[in-house]
């Protein structure tokens, strides 16, 4: 939703396939923090000095939730990798207006189970290698399998 001071509010429903979450803010320490930061209203700068803001709200959570942690940052100087540890739980409850422990338990919409993680190994954007960790379910319990095309 976009709000423009003194005039109008515009709401657009858009289908989505994944969430790209910024992990650079200092208050973002885990997946819950990153999602809550994403859902906060954002102030927009306008040419006429009026106030405007953008607010993202998820009204329908998907069966499978794909989250992209923004590990690369681009600016006028080029791009750089964001080397920051972000905690993510194996079970992640998502609420109507946020997620995890900061939202009330009465609004739980879905509980997501972590099934895979894609990792970038390397210090620069232009070099490195990707691997994945994938949960393998079995009768003896779950285990994690490393997927690496170099080994």
């Amino acid at each position: 939703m976009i709000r423009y001071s003194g005039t109008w509010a515009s709401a657009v429903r858009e289908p989505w396939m994944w969430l790209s979450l910024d992990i650079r803010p200092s208050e973002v320490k885990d997946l819950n923090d990153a999602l809550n930061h994403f859902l906060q209203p954002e102030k927009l700068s306008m040419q006429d000095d009026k106030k405007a803001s953008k607010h993202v709200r998820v009204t329908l959570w998907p069966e499978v939730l794909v989250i992209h942690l923004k590990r690369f940052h681009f600016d006028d100087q080029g791009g750089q990798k964001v080397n920051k540890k972000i905690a993510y739980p194996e079970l992640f409850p998502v609420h109507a207006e946020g997620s995890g422990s900061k939202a009330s338990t009465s609004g739980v919409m879905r509980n997501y189970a972590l099934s895979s993680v894609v990792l970038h190994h390397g210090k620069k954007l232009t070099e490195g290698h990707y691997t994945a960790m994938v949960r393998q379910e079995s009768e003896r319990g779950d285990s994690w399998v490393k997927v690496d095309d170099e080994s």
Side-chain angles (χ1 to χ4, degrees), residues 53-102:
S53 65
K54 177 178 82 170
H55 187 182
V56 175
R57 197 174 113 210
V58 178
T59 57
L60 180 63
W61 291 92
E63 191 76 25
V64 175
L65 178 61
V66 177
I67 295 177
H68 163 241
L69 299 179
K70 294 182 180 180
R71 292 259 175 220
F72 301 112
H73 172 67
F74 298 90
D75 57 22
D76 296 340
Q77 309 301 318
Q80 60 186 8
K81 184 172 180 180
V82 177
N83 287 312
K84 181 178 182 179
K85 289 186 179 183
I86 298 294
Y88 45 87
E90 287 194 39
L91 294 174
F92 187 59
V94 176
H95 300 267
E97 290 295 330
S99 65
S101 61
K102 291 185 181 174

Side-chain angles (χ1 to χ4, degrees), residues 21-23 27-39 67 69 86 99:
L21 304 179
D22 188 2
I23 61 170
E27 68 270 12
V28 174
K29 309 246 185 288
D30 58 28
L31 185 58
N32 185 55
D33 294 340
L35 183 56
N36 285 325
H37 178 77
F38 177 77
L39 295 172
I67 295 177
L69 299 179
I86 298 294
S99 65

Side-chain angles (χ1 to χ4, degrees), residues 81 119-131 150:
K81 184 172 180 180
L119 306 160
H120 177 263
H121 306 274
K123 295 182 180 180
K124 297 181 180 179
L125 302 174
T126 57
E127 58 189 49
H129 179 67
Y130 286 94
T131 61
E150 286 189 352

